[in-house]
């Protein structure tokens, strides 16, 4: 029920009051969801529109890609970040890659959620699954500098506009432009989160810790990243 209410609330907040089926389809595409999440949102909202709006969502479901998650390499990320002049967008992307945040979590980070002493971040997760994740040293240093620059901004949000927190669309469009400008392979915010998990496993962090940092409810969700771990095959061959 929590998931149902969360999806309905999130969708209704972004739709006009007298929305149509086309409005819903456009919004789902703009939200840059993974195929599974897209289909979940579509199914839940279809139940809502049938019951309360009198129409069904008959547009095509997203095809679930069974390929392995994309790993974004550090040099690829650096090439992208080097094209972005705005520190706000740079930090948002860095939090996806170095802390494993989802895009809507990045937008809603509050200043007091950051603990510089422990280099940790409190995250308001989806479905009420709050968690604590890590902040890499280079990102923590950049965040301290950024917070000093905006110390006179009264907003509680880390990334704010004059009215509220920054929008997901702002981050998505900035990332797409940076990828185009840097001529790097295409990837999404969710791929940066995937890369966070894969990088931790490559550093021999145990999978249960990775699960907690990602905020996964089930270990089975996290286990897909085990297939993406990179191994030095030459070193392995010489050791056996």
């Amino acid at each position: 029920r929590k998931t149902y209410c969360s999806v309905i609330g999130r969708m209704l907040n972004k739709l006009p009051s007298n929305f149509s089926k086309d409005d819903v389809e456009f919004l789902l595409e703009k939200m840059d969801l993974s195929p599974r999440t897209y289909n979940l949102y579509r199914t839940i909202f279809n139940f809502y529109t049938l019951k309360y709006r009198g129409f069904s969502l008959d547009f095509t479901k997203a095809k679930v890609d069974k390929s392995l998650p994309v790993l974004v390499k550090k040099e690829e990320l650096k090439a992208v970040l080097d094209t972005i002049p705005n520190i706000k967008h740079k930090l948002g992307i860095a939090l996806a890659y170095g802390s494993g945040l989802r895009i809507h979590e990045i937008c809603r980070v509050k200043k007091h959620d950051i603990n510089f002493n422990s280099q940790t971040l409190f995250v308001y997760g989806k479905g009420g699954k709050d968690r604590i994740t890590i902040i890499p040293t280079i990102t923590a240093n950049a965040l301290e500098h950024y917070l000093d620059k905006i110390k006179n901004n009264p907003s509680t949000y880390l990334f704010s506009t004059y009215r509220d927190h920054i929008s997901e669309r702002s981050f998505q469009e900035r990332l797409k432009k940076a990828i185009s400008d840097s001529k790097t392979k295409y990837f999404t915010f969710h791929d940066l989160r995937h890369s966070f998990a894969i990088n931790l496993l490559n550093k021999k962090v145990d999978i249960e810790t990775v699960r907690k940092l990602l905020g996964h409810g089930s270990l089975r969700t996290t286990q897909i990243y085990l297939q993406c771990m990179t191994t030095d095959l030459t070193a392995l061959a010489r050791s056996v």
Side-chain angles (χ1 to χ4, degrees):
R1 183 171 178 81
K2 282 184 178 180
T3 301
Y4 174 86
C5 293
S6 175
V7 169
I8 298 300
R10 190 178 179 201
M11 295 284 286
L12 289 178
N13 283 337
K14 296 175 182 289
L15 287 165
S17 56
N18 191 27
F19 64 84
S20 67
K21 177 176 63 179
D22 289 340
D23 291 325
V24 177
E25 184 174 11
F26 177 75
L27 174 60
L28 285 171
E29 290 176 354
K30 189 175 72 173
M31 290 172 78
D32 193 30
L33 303 169
S34 68
R36 284 188 176 85
T37 305
Y38 177 98
N39 290 337
L40 174 66
Y41 272 51
R42 180 191 177 281
T43 299
I44 290 175
F45 209 71
N46 184 54
F47 178 83
Y48 173 85
T49 57
L50 274 171
K51 186 173 182 179
Y52 297 105
R53 299 295 177 120
F55 64 86
S56 63
L57 305 178
D58 55 6
F59 49 85
T60 307
K61 287 186 176 182
K63 184 178 179 181
V64 177
D65 188 358
K66 294 184 179 180
S67 60
L68 295 176
V70 171
L71 173 62
V72 181
K73 297 178 180 178
K74 284 186 177 180
E75 55 268 26
E76 293 170 333
L77 181 68
K78 183 180 184 303
V80 167
L81 293 178
D82 284 347
T83 70
I84 301 176
N86 189 325
I87 184 62
K88 184 186 298 185
H89 290 114
K90 280 188 175 184
L91 283 171
I93 294 170
L95 285 173
Y97 189 80
S99 302
L101 269 62
R102 302 175 178 92
I103 186 169
H104 72 271
E105 295 170 342
I106 295 167
C107 295
R108 291 162 178 79
V109 171
K110 294 184 177 180
K111 297 169 184 175
H112 63 256
D113 296 333
I114 303 169
N115 186 325
F116 287 108
N117 290 329
S118 60
Q119 284 187 216
T120 56
L121 174 68
F122 183 86
V123 184
Y124 301 91
K126 67 178 184 180
K129 296 176 183 175
D130 299 339
R131 68 186 190 279
I132 293 175
T133 188
I134 58 175
I135 308 174
T137 300
I138 189 170
T139 306
N141 291 339
L143 281 170
E144 284 196 282
H145 178 69
Y146 171 72
L147 283 170
D148 185 59
K149 285 182 64 176
I150 64 167
K151 61 185 176 185
N152 295 323
N153 185 334
S155 175
T156 59
Y157 287 109
L158 181 64
F159 306 122
S160 65
T161 64
Y162 66 95
R163 289 186 302 178
D164 199 4
H165 59 71
I166 195 170
S167 70
E168 295 173 23
R169 184 176 182 180
S170 173
F171 274 121
Q172 289 164 343
E173 291 183 346
R174 181 65 263 189
L175 177 61
K176 287 177 183 177
K177 185 178 187 307
I179 290 171
S180 175
D181 290 345
S182 63
K183 296 180 172 54
T184 308
K185 73 182 182 190
Y186 179 76
F187 57 85
T188 66
F189 265 91
H190 216 67
D191 292 326
L192 294 173
R193 177 172 153 86
H194 291 325
S195 301
F196 168 73
I198 297 167
N199 287 336
L200 288 178
L201 290 171
N202 282 335
K203 292 178 180 178
K204 311 303 181 186
V205 176
D206 67 274
I207 194 167
E208 175 61 16
T209 298
V210 176
R211 181 193 71 78
K212 290 178 180 177
L213 292 172
L214 290 171
H216 286 163
S218 169
L219 192 62
R220 291 182 62 186
T221 308
T222 318
Q223 284 174 336
I224 188 173
Y225 298 115
L226 291 172
Q227 302 175 59
C228 308
M229 294 173 64
T230 56
T231 303
D232 186 336
L233 296 181
T234 301
L236 178 63
R238 290 174 178 170
S239 68
V240 296

